[in-house]
Amino acid sequence: MGRARCCQAMSVWGPHRKEPRLRGARVAVLALLLTVASADAAPDIELGRYLAQECVTCHRGATSASTIPNIHGMAESDFIQMIKAYREKRIDNAVMQNIAGRLKDDEIEALAAYFFMTRP
Amino acid sequence: MSNLTRRNFTKLASASLGVLGAPLFAPAVIGQAKPKLVVIGGGPAGATVARYVQKDAAGAVDVTLVEPHSSFVTCFFSNLHVGGFRDLNSITHLYDNVRATGIRIRHEMATVLDREKREVELIGRDRLPYDRLVVAPGIDIKFDSVPGYSERAAQVMPHAWKAGEQTELLTRKLNALEDGATVVMIAPPNPYRCPPGPYERVSMFAHVLKAKGHKKSRIIVLDPKPTFSKQALFLEGWEKHYPGMIEWQDPKVHGGIKSVDPSTGEVKTDLANYKADLANVIPAQMAGKIARDTGLVDQSGWCPIDPETMKSKMDPNIFVVGDACIPGDMPKSAFSANSQAKIAAMIIRGELTGSRVFPARYSNTCWSLIETDDDVKVGGTYEPGEGKIKQITTFVSQKGEPAHLRSQNYKESVDWYASITTDMFG
């Protein structure tokens, strides 16, 4: 993620030619700023825990035979992709589309981070 | 997770606090008594609040649950017992796991509430002091809302709108019917526990009688309401699975329910008199007794609440959750009770321990079984708005859906039941 942001920022710099050492210095400063920015944007685990209260209503008792999957310990990127797919109605399930439909991106990330850390 | 970047470290640190359940607040002063939470009612709402406060406050709050019964038969899914899909044990829950978390349980009735002193008196005269109180007594039946009906009459014409003995009585009577029987249901007026419930029950009656090979038995539904939850879906399903067996009458057809006579089985309306071989009378309802006796209800007989917190509008130290409250656009359902309970638990912890609170969000889904593998659902999301819990989004099953979706709904409901009852009772 930080790498993608770095590349985007680089394209903003793109057409301007700088002295090599100054360009290197600017890149270093930018990289540092981006690292600080991405650390400050770490998911809100407490928010994740609060939002997860709704999820465990259905997802608490999952077994291998369940239609409702076990989401504890799920990889964050998988979780985020899945919820966004429900939000965009690319996967069918009326309950999940309804729940996902009101989640913002930062809330989905918070939930993903929370569930990654939990066990059933 | 192989690289411990600063981002991951920050997440790990705060996550491990979350996983351990350590609340992010200043600890109580050593030697000071813990704040006390008393929860009246060990059903879906009460048990959930008790468990969530106990779990998330990690011992910082003294939690006592007052519930007269030593086990809880869920009213939700009790229709599936009537229909022969679940045995009663499978919908009965003990409190052992609740007790094991450190929650004190008093299996007695709460009789008196002293809101000035902040004490609950139990039937054995013990007094429980509280800093915050949750009142979750569920519903009581307004027996006199149907002329001729009474608590005694319910032994002959069960309501089975409080699960347990009444459910078993209704099921026995249903299974004893011979072909050619007349079953009459009097459906309840709004607002009541479980809006699609009466119609799922009618479906279960029909399922049992059809499975027994009945050709002539009929089920008459006398409804004080002009419409009901998931109506189009039920009517379609009844026509498909039980053609000619079920007749639903709205008030314009029957003209008003006049009386019932438990000694003869007669049910009288303005249109006709019926001699019911089985009468299932589901009267109007109201909040449980302790709420009514302690000034927590308004003229409607239900408890008004603040939608941001689930606090009683009558007392800032009291929360009312579950069927007893006025839930705005939410239905009275177990799912709603559990959803409301979690908001109350969050607010209680915030007030007693300084833990973080978030804006309230609620949700509900209701599943109803019409016939084997034909299950329909309705649900929504809710938030505080316009002075109530306001519906934000909704969804409902559609007529003519493929069979696999309806079958999927049923499996989903079974998995939901296992999950939510674990959430409530451990």
Side-chain angles (χ1 to χ4, degrees):
Chain A
M1 185 90 92
R3 197 176 179 184
R5 285 187 192 161
C6 180
C7 292
Q8 279 175 358
M10 286 292 279
S11 68
V12 170
W13 289 96
H16 302 283
R17 288 180 185 266
K18 304 285 177 191
E19 291 293 331
R21 60 186 173 89
L22 282 176
R23 187 190 300 149
R26 283 176 195 274
V27 168
V29 167
L30 189 62
L32 178 64
L33 286 172
L34 285 169
T35 309
V36 171
S38 64
D40 288 346
D44 186 343
I45 296 288
E46 276 298 302
L47 173 63
R49 179 152 74 142
Y50 164 63
L51 295 171
Q53 289 181 355
E54 181 177 52
C55 312
V56 298
T57 307
C58 294
H59 287 277
R60 183 180 281 285
T63 67
S64 56
S66 301
T67 58
I68 300 178
N70 178 19
I71 56 178
H72 300 281
M74 197 171 177
E76 285 175 76
S77 53
D78 290 348
F79 187 101
I80 292 167
Q81 269 184 37
M82 189 74 91
I83 297 297
K84 286 187 174 174
Y86 280 120
R87 189 172 67 177
E88 291 152 25
K89 299 190 182 342
R90 288 185 280 112
I91 312 182
D92 277 339
N93 184 295
V95 180
M96 283 309 302
Q97 288 179 358
N98 197 46
I99 300 283
R102 70 169 165 182
L103 293 172
K104 301 190 194 55
D105 285 359
D106 65 320
E107 292 170 340
I108 296 174
E109 285 170 24
L111 276 166
Y114 174 77
F115 275 113
F116 177 73
M117 300 295 176
T118 66
R119 296 293 172 265
Chain B
M1 274 290 288
S2 54
N3 298 323
L4 198 66
T5 62
R6 188 198 298 193
R7 183 169 188 266
N8 289 340
F9 179 77
T10 311
K11 274 169 31 184
L12 259 179
S14 50
S16 58
L17 281 176
V19 167
L20 290 173
L24 303 174
F25 58 85
V29 172
I30 291 171
Q32 199 173 26
K34 287 190 220 172
K36 291 179 174 21
L37 170 67
V38 173
V39 179
I40 298 177
T48 302
V49 183
R51 275 175 47 80
Y52 269 71
V53 172
Q54 181 70 9
K55 166 176 78 75
D56 292 338
V61 177
D62 198 293
V63 181
T64 302
L65 179 66
V66 178
E67 166 52 53
H69 299 105
S70 55
S71 64
F72 190 84
V73 181
T74 58
C75 213
F76 56 109
F77 265 40
S78 65
N79 277 342
L80 298 191
H81 174 65
V82 173
F85 290 90
R86 297 287 285 235
D87 66 46
L88 209 73
N89 277 341
S90 77
I91 60 169
T92 303
H93 303 271
L94 304 176
Y95 289 99
D96 298 353
N97 292 341
V98 177
R99 191 176 283 109
T101 63
I103 296 168
R104 285 181 235 273
I105 304 185
R106 298 297 297 265
H107 284 308
E108 296 172 68
M109 187 78 78
T111 50
V112 181
L113 175 54
D114 188 331
R115 285 160 53 184
E116 289 299 314
K117 283 190 186 166
R118 296 205 217 163
E119 283 181 350
V120 175
E121 188 173 308
L122 305 183
I123 199 162
R125 306 302 270 256
D126 275 358
R127 297 181 142 249
L128 303 178
Y130 66 83
D131 292 291
R132 295 292 182 274
L133 176 69
V134 172
V135 173
I139 61 163
D140 272 343
I141 305 289
K142 272 182 167 174
F143 290 100
D144 57 5
S145 66
V146 176
Y149 199 60
S150 64
E151 194 160 1
R152 209 175 126 112
Q155 294 305 309
V156 177
M157 295 178 160
H159 52 78
W161 220 246
K162 289 177 136 193
E165 278 177 30
Q166 280 277 301
T167 317
E168 288 187 290
L169 177 62
L170 180 67
T171 307
R172 271 202 304 278
K173 284 179 170 291
L174 176 69
N175 281 287
L177 292 175
E178 304 284 340
D179 197 4
T182 299
V183 179
V184 177
M185 169 189 277
I186 296 181
N190 287 320
Y192 62 95
R193 160 184 286 181
C194 195
Y199 314 98
E200 181 184 60
R201 182 172 290 173
V202 164
S203 307
M204 293 296 97
F205 289 164
H207 166 80
V208 168
L209 299 182
K210 176 177 153 188
K212 283 174 171 301
H214 286 214
K215 303 279 185 243
K216 296 174 289 183
S217 290
R218 56 181 186 147
I219 303 164
I220 296 158
V221 188
L222 304 172
D223 212 322
K225 311 183 292 297
T227 59
F228 60 90
S229 173
K230 296 187 269 197
Q231 182 167 350
L233 299 168
F234 278 109
L235 293 176
E236 181 194 49
W238 292 345
E239 184 53 37
K240 177 178 176 185
H241 297 297
Y242 318 113
M245 195 188 265
I246 303 168
E247 183 190 340
W248 177 76
Q249 294 183 15
D250 75 23
K252 286 206 187 86
V253 171
H254 61 66
I257 295 153
K258 297 297 179 205
S259 65
V260 300
D261 186 341
S263 62
T264 61
E266 279 184 287
V267 179
K268 292 186 178 173
T269 70
D270 206 44
L271 172 73
N273 296 342
Y274 303 95
K275 180 84 164 50
D277 297 291
L278 170 59
N280 178 201
V281 180
I282 310 170
Q285 293 147 38
M286 54 191 170
K289 191 172 191 306
I290 189 81
R292 301 197 316 275
D293 288 351
T294 52
L296 297 176
V297 300
D298 65 12
Q299 283 171 334
S300 69
W302 304 101
C303 302
I305 48 91
D306 166 32
E308 310 267 3
T309 60
M310 297 307 302
K311 279 175 187 266
S312 164
K313 284 193 173 165
M314 318 313 203
D315 190 318
N317 296 310
I318 300 179
F319 296 74
V320 184
V321 285
D323 287 354
C325 80
I326 297 173
D329 295 342
M330 294 184 93
K332 293 184 188 299
S333 73
F335 202 119
S336 294
N338 175 263
S339 179
Q340 293 158 8
K342 288 166 180 174
I343 297 304
M346 173 185 69
I347 301 295
I348 288 164
R349 279 194 306 115
E351 291 188 349
L352 296 184
T353 69
S355 58
R356 220 167 135 194
V357 299
F358 297 93
R361 283 190 189 175
Y362 307 91
S363 59
N364 177 69
T365 305
C366 281
W367 288 266
S368 303
L369 187 64
I370 302 178
E371 177 49 307
T372 307
D373 288 327
D374 190 354
D375 197 290
V376 292
K377 60 190 179 187
V378 65
T381 61
Y382 308 83
E383 283 169 21
E386 297 168 13
K388 62 175 181 177
I389 300 177
K390 186 168 139 62
Q391 184 168 278
I392 305 299
T393 62
T394 187
F395 66 90
V396 67
S397 292
Q398 297 299 303
K399 281 171 67 172
E401 273 170 336
H404 74 88
L405 274 186
R406 298 291 182 87
S407 167
Q408 171 88 356
N409 285 344
Y410 177 65
K411 293 190 186 75
E412 192 177 75
S413 76
V414 170
D415 291 338
W416 161 79
Y417 183 86
S419 189
I420 199 172
T421 51
T422 306
D423 200 42
M424 292 165 178
F425 303 106

